[in-house]
Amino acid sequence: MLTNRFLRKSVVLLGIGLLLICGLPGAQSARAATEKEIDVSVDVALERFFKDVKGAREFAQTAKGMLVLPGVVKAGFVFGGEYGEGALQIGGKTVDYYNIIAGSFGLQIGAQSKDIIIAFMTDEALNSFRASEGWEAGVDGNVALLNVGAGERIDTNTLKDPIVGFVFGVKGLMADVSVKGSKFNKLDKDK
């Protein structure tokens, strides 16, 4: 069952997400997490990923870079929005911070929170992502979403896609786990 705190966070993030989608100035700073908050959330999400999915640690070592977006919130009632912040890691070190923004319209109701990891398996895919201004999944690059449940194993020998995504830790009442159409923007964080 959803808690009141989760619902409040969902509504606030939905509002922020819709403002960001509309491009209103200053909306991003309304609730942007600090670098430290993002780093802690990323570490927690990665530990859960490594613990729950066999072979995840080895998989991470073969990736050229990993974008980790913990606690991405999606909420909708006819109009929907999705927002979250995370870090791009190369060699296990954070190099940049990004957000994910998506908007939708249609038959939908509910809210959910999820963790997303997008692994760039080739230098070309990683460099293309980093060079873009507003990288959009499904347009600028296709993300092969893998459905790997807790206790299952990632087979790194059979993965041939240049960009591989994982959605895990889903909580809430929405069935959509796609990243297609989501836009990823580099955040300007003070180092």
Side-chain angles (χ1 to χ4, degrees):
M1 181 160 201
L2 294 175
T3 65
N4 286 336
R5 182 174 173 221
F6 177 77
L7 287 174
R8 280 194 304 270
K9 182 178 178 184
S10 299
V11 170
V12 168
L13 288 175
L14 172 62
I16 292 170
L18 291 174
L19 289 173
L20 288 168
I21 291 164
C22 295
L24 296 177
Q28 182 174 341
S29 62
R31 176 51 193 122
T34 65
E35 287 180 12
K36 186 174 183 175
E37 289 172 327
I38 293 172
D39 290 338
V40 168
S41 297
V42 164
D43 290 344
V44 169
L46 281 172
E47 280 307 310
R48 186 171 46 251
F49 181 62
F50 295 153
K51 179 182 169 210
D52 290 349
V53 180
K54 294 176 185 168
R57 201 171 294 277
E58 295 81 9
F59 172 80
Q61 291 172 349
T62 64
K64 302 298 181 182
M66 289 184 28
L67 179 62
V68 182
L69 298 148
V72 175
V73 174
K74 180 175 185 173
F77 181 75
V78 182
F79 290 98
E82 180 173 50
Y83 185 81
E85 296 178 339
L88 176 64
Q89 293 191 341
I90 298 175
K93 306 273 188 218
T94 296
V95 295
D96 289 312
Y97 295 92
Y98 285 83
N99 66 16
I100 179 175
I101 301 170
S104 58
F105 174 77
L107 185 58
Q108 59 187 321
I109 187 169
Q112 72 178 11
S113 173
K114 60 190 172 191
D115 297 334
I116 300 172
I117 292 179
I118 297 179
F120 299 93
M121 306 308 292
T122 65
D123 286 322
E124 181 182 349
L126 176 62
N127 292 337
S128 175
F129 175 78
R130 293 188 78 193
S132 71
E133 292 185 26
W135 190 88
E136 187 173 339
V139 174
D140 297 312
N142 289 320
V143 179
L145 274 182
L146 297 184
N147 186 9
V148 181
E152 292 186 39
R153 180 164 191 77
I154 300 173
D155 185 358
T156 56
N157 295 321
T158 60
L159 291 177
K160 303 298 179 208
D161 295 292
I163 306 172
V164 179
F166 300 89
V167 177
F168 61 101
V170 178
K171 299 175 190 131
L173 299 174
M174 247 179 172
D176 182 22
V177 292
S178 171
V179 294
K180 188 172 184 178
S182 297
K183 195 167 184 178
F184 300 85
N185 299 294
K186 186 175 177 181
L187 297 174
D188 186 19
K189 297 283 185 184
D190 296 327
K191 290 279 178 188

